[in-house]
Amino acid sequence: MSDTTVVDTRPTKIMYVAEATAHGGRDGYVTSQDGQIALKVAMPPALGGDGNGTNPEQLFAAGFSACFHNALVLVGRRAGFDLTGSTVAAKVGIGPNAQRGYGLAVALSVSLPVLDQDIASKLVDAAHEVCPYSNATRGNIDVTILLG
């Protein structure tokens, strides 16, 4: 595939829709339509807030790490590997961008303790192609994947 080839990663069929509502932005609360999420949201101290609540970057890190881990388990199972004991941790950074707005960067730390490095690397690459969060962010934000 050449660098100019555009790969369409949009869904061909919507299988599930999540609904959440923010009240008050970064100093308020968020709720999900089904009641599973009801969280206070607060600016982190690094951005001038009191940190007495979660924040969008933490929620994005939780979603990305869970989604990527699920994709990893899926590709591992398809390849005949049991990934019990594996983990994916996400760090989401926020900062100003060149357009006078703000941007994100993500670092995923993947632990596959029962596999050799070559197989683990191939599974991580395959998961990065399958994961909806990876597909949504590809080319939009920096995503670094560390295998340890």
Side-chain angles (χ1 to χ4, degrees):
M1 179 166 40
S2 74
D3 291 340
T4 59
T5 302
V6 176
V7 177
D8 187 356
T9 60
R10 294 176 293 181
T12 57
K13 174 184 172 186
I14 300 297
M15 297 169 54
Y16 169 74
V17 174
E19 295 181 46
T21 303
H23 311 262
R26 287 181 173 270
D27 286 310
Y29 62 100
V30 293
T31 58
S32 62
Q33 172 273 333
D34 64 1
Q36 293 296 312
I37 297 173
L39 300 170
K40 180 178 177 1
V41 180
M43 292 281 274
L47 297 179
D50 64 16
N52 289 326
T54 191
N55 59 67
E57 292 72 36
Q58 288 177 328
L59 297 170
F60 189 69
F64 205 152
S65 62
C67 189
F68 194 90
H69 194 237
N70 195 70
L72 187 61
V73 169
L74 174 71
V75 299
R77 185 174 53 241
R78 287 178 179 168
F81 296 102
D82 178 3
L83 300 187
T84 300
S86 63
T87 61
V88 176
K91 292 182 181 181
V92 175
I94 184 172
N97 66 22
Q99 287 72 43
R100 301 175 62 131
Y102 290 86
L104 300 174
V106 174
L108 299 175
S109 296
V110 179
S111 174
L112 292 165
V114 297
L115 298 178
D116 74 41
Q117 197 73 3
D118 186 49
I119 292 170
S121 180
K122 288 177 181 162
L123 291 178
V124 165
D125 289 346
H128 194 41
E129 295 302 315
V130 170
C131 175
Y133 276 62
S134 293
N135 287 329
T137 59
R138 188 173 288 111
N140 298 311
I141 66 174
D142 290 335
V143 176
T144 305
I145 303 175
L146 309 167
L147 181 57

